[in-house]
Amino acid sequence: MSETASKALGTPAASPDAGRWKALVFIALAQLMVVLDATIVNIALPSAQQDLGISDGNRQWVVTAYALAFGGLLLFGGRIADLWGRKKAFVVGLAGFAAASALGGAATNEAMMFGARALQGVFGALLAPAALSLLAVMFTDAKERAKAFGIYGAIAGGGGAVGLILGGFLTEYLDWRWTFFVNIPFAIVAAAGAYFVIREPEGGRNRSSLDIPGVILSTLGLVALVYGFTRAESDGWSDSVTVGMFVASAVLLASFVLVESKVKAPLLPLRVITERNRGGIYLSLGLAIIAMFGLFLFLTYYLQIVKGYSPVKTGFAFLPMIAGMITGSTQIGTRLMTRVAPRLLMGPGFLVAALGMLLLTQLEIGSSYAALLLPAMLLLGLGMGTAFMPAMSLATQGVEPRDSGVASAMVNTSQQVGGAIGTALLNTIAASATTSYIADHIVGATSRSQQQLVQLEGMVRGYTSAIWFAVGILVVAAAIALTFVNAGRPGSTTVTGSGAEADAADDVQIPVVAH
């Protein structure tokens, strides 16, 4: 059969869409908007809280409402993309995200703000997996796929830091409401471009009936998990509601796996996650995001509170990390992706990032930006960019077209859950170390200036304690990538399938082309 032969040769079985590179621009723009939104709102939060009269106890819901909707509905969003078609899901997701952003920018009270953030999460959960799965089905040649995912990986990795810069500018020089309104032109341009340029390959839809029990169990399970970690950050790990959420999440997700193994048309076909390469990628990516999310938070506070940087200056301080991510993703990852096995990029990439993180364990109140922070950020960016690119590509490679939306949703789910875990876990470690240090040293501080110094020192000690954990997490991520991911380089004939589901397309590591 000609398609089988073309797979074996490492070439696409169908002629690629002529407008695929134009399409990449609009897909990347949409991805940038979603990633930006995750950090840009954090910068604006103090101003928004004051304007809308949101209490300290409720302000976390500006972030939590989005995280719960986004994290909880990702698998459902991926399945809808497979059912409707990725292009339609992508355009609807963009339109909804823009409308929700307009609502958030126009908010007059806290209820309106929380509702807008939840709506952003709902449409983001539709948009994000549709964007990644469009790339998966449009770029099928190994070298082109490496370039496309290099660009996508750089945006996914560096977009958060860009959000800090943009958020700082908008909040400082305009108004916090513009951190919401800025999404609207992004969404309009991306949606219009996608509508006219994207031509999704035929035959890749999954028209099976929707697995309603799976939708309910996965959504409630993921919401409980994300809320459990969010609650742990504010109320502690022993809080009865926190513990209850973790227990409920474990029961719901275990029930979800059981249901998925029995139903005829599962929401998440277990073949997607039991294949060792994809399973290894979801796990290692989630762990890497745990380390990165905590770091963004600590460095932002360190630069603003300890070093006295403005929001704009803080954003610019992250530029070396962005430059490192772009270089690692588009230059190192893309150039080597077709020459070496993915694990030889992912494992060393995570280890280089761990080395950058290790430098940051030396942070002190008077640490020099140029001597310590700059090289650490460059190493972090280079390592993460190099590792993210093959991970993003391989996570959707060899997947049947009808499963590409759900496989893409799992990439986003591992990152979203990783972000929630990272923020809560590392913050708790930092807060505990800070409290312990201050309790031990505050007695000897007699003057107000000495007390302030002890508090700042305690804060930095807290950050470095948590960063040590982040180093360990990145080393574990590297070990998982090197152990589980055994795929050969794209176009090679290395057999990587592990189980009955591994078909010829998985064996040669060339994505199945919808036809």
Side-chain angles (χ1 to χ4, degrees):
M1 188 174 173
S2 60
E3 185 189 328
T4 308
S6 64
K7 282 184 200 167
L9 291 169
T11 55
S15 56
D17 176 24
R20 62 195 179 284
W21 291 108
K22 290 179 186 174
L24 174 62
V25 173
F26 300 113
I27 293 169
L29 190 64
Q31 172 66 10
L32 180 61
M33 180 189 72
V34 172
V35 177
L36 282 178
D37 194 74
T39 51
I40 200 171
V41 173
N42 290 338
I43 297 283
L45 187 52
S47 304
Q49 181 186 354
Q50 191 175 355
D51 270 12
L52 300 178
I54 301 172
S55 68
D56 284 350
N58 284 341
R59 69 180 174 191
Q60 64 161 331
W61 283 100
V62 176
V63 176
T64 304
Y66 178 83
L68 291 180
F70 190 73
L73 292 169
L74 269 166
L75 283 176
F76 183 43
R79 177 66 181 85
I80 290 294
D82 287 336
L83 182 66
W84 284 0
R86 287 120 210 149
K87 177 178 174 177
K88 185 177 179 181
F90 184 70
V91 173
V92 170
L94 281 166
F97 200 91
S101 297
L103 191 67
T108 53
N109 55 51
E110 63 178 36
M112 193 171 168
M113 170 60 77
F114 300 157
R117 289 291 285 161
L119 266 179
Q120 278 187 312
V122 169
F123 286 105
L126 181 62
L127 168 63
L132 187 56
S133 58
L134 274 171
L135 282 191
V137 297
M138 290 178 78
F139 289 91
T140 54
D141 174 76
K143 286 189 177 180
E144 285 195 348
R145 187 180 177 90
K147 286 180 186 175
F149 276 90
I151 294 165
Y152 188 89
I155 289 168
V162 176
L164 294 171
I165 299 173
L166 193 56
F169 264 110
L170 294 172
T171 305
E172 209 166 306
Y173 298 117
L174 289 172
D175 186 78
W176 65 265
R177 295 182 185 277
W178 282 98
T179 59
F180 286 89
F181 292 144
V182 75
N183 290 331
I184 298 170
F186 274 101
I188 290 172
V189 172
Y195 184 79
F196 290 110
V197 172
I198 290 177
R199 286 176 182 80
E200 187 180 347
E202 293 297 323
R205 290 194 193 182
N206 184 345
R207 299 182 187 275
S208 306
S209 57
L210 205 54
D211 169 23
I212 300 299
V215 169
I216 294 168
L217 288 169
S218 68
T219 301
L220 292 178
L222 288 170
V223 164
L225 182 64
V226 173
Y227 184 58
F229 278 105
T230 306
R231 176 95 184 181
E233 186 186 354
S234 56
D235 294 68
W237 295 92
S238 58
D239 174 68
S240 58
V241 177
T242 302
V243 174
M245 282 295 151
F246 286 137
V247 171
S249 173
V251 171
L252 287 163
L253 292 176
S255 303
F256 170 66
V257 172
L258 185 65
V259 166
E260 297 309 274
S261 67
K262 305 288 186 187
V263 297
K264 186 179 177 183
L267 173 70
L268 175 62
L270 296 182
R271 62 180 175 266
V272 171
I273 54 172
T274 53
E275 201 277 312
R276 66 180 291 166
N277 288 291
R278 283 191 286 278
I281 281 166
Y282 297 146
L283 194 54
S284 60
L285 263 186
L287 286 169
I289 293 293
I290 288 174
M292 284 298 289
F293 257 67
L295 180 76
F296 269 134
L297 190 69
F298 298 144
L299 282 185
T300 301
Y301 277 110
Y302 174 79
L303 291 169
Q304 290 195 26
I305 296 173
V306 179
K307 304 296 278 186
Y309 284 22
S310 69
V312 172
K313 191 176 179 182
T314 301
F316 275 108
F318 279 98
L319 278 178
M321 192 184 293
I322 301 172
M325 281 180 174
I326 292 170
T327 304
S329 190
T330 62
Q331 299 304 310
I332 301 172
T334 301
R335 290 174 187 275
L336 295 180
M337 178 71 181
T338 54
R339 299 175 187 176
V340 300
R343 69 177 180 275
L344 299 181
L345 289 174
M346 290 178 65
F350 288 139
L351 288 176
V352 169
L355 182 60
M357 200 78 85
L358 189 64
L359 287 179
L360 290 174
T361 60
Q362 306 305 307
L363 265 186
E364 294 175 356
I365 291 177
S367 292
S368 161
Y369 177 84
L372 181 68
L373 289 164
L374 179 64
M377 284 191 184
L378 280 170
L379 285 171
L380 270 163
L382 275 172
M384 291 303 247
T386 301
F388 266 50
M389 202 287 295
M392 291 281 189
S393 177
L394 193 59
T396 53
Q397 197 161 296
V399 179
E400 295 177 39
R402 64 193 174 125
D403 294 336
S404 67
V406 170
S408 301
M410 275 302 299
V411 177
N412 287 286
T413 302
S414 66
Q415 292 182 64
Q416 188 65 25
V417 172
I421 294 171
T423 305
L425 179 64
L426 296 181
N427 228 13
T428 307
I429 292 166
S432 175
T434 296
T435 304
S436 176
Y437 181 89
I438 292 173
D440 290 345
H441 294 81
I442 199 72
V443 179
T446 51
S447 67
R448 183 172 174 79
S449 61
Q450 286 177 323
Q451 289 172 351
Q452 285 178 333
L453 190 64
V454 167
Q455 286 175 335
L456 286 177
E457 186 66 43
M459 201 180 291
V460 175
R461 287 295 179 93
Y463 299 157
T464 54
S465 298
I467 289 169
W468 271 111
F469 275 85
V471 172
I473 290 167
L474 280 173
V475 170
V476 172
I480 288 170
L482 288 167
T483 307
F484 281 79
V485 181
N486 69 344
R489 62 182 176 81
S492 73
T493 54
T494 306
V495 175
T496 61
S498 59
E501 297 88 358
D503 57 14
D506 289 311
D507 293 345
V508 297
Q509 286 303 302
I510 294 299
V512 179
V513 181
H515 58 283

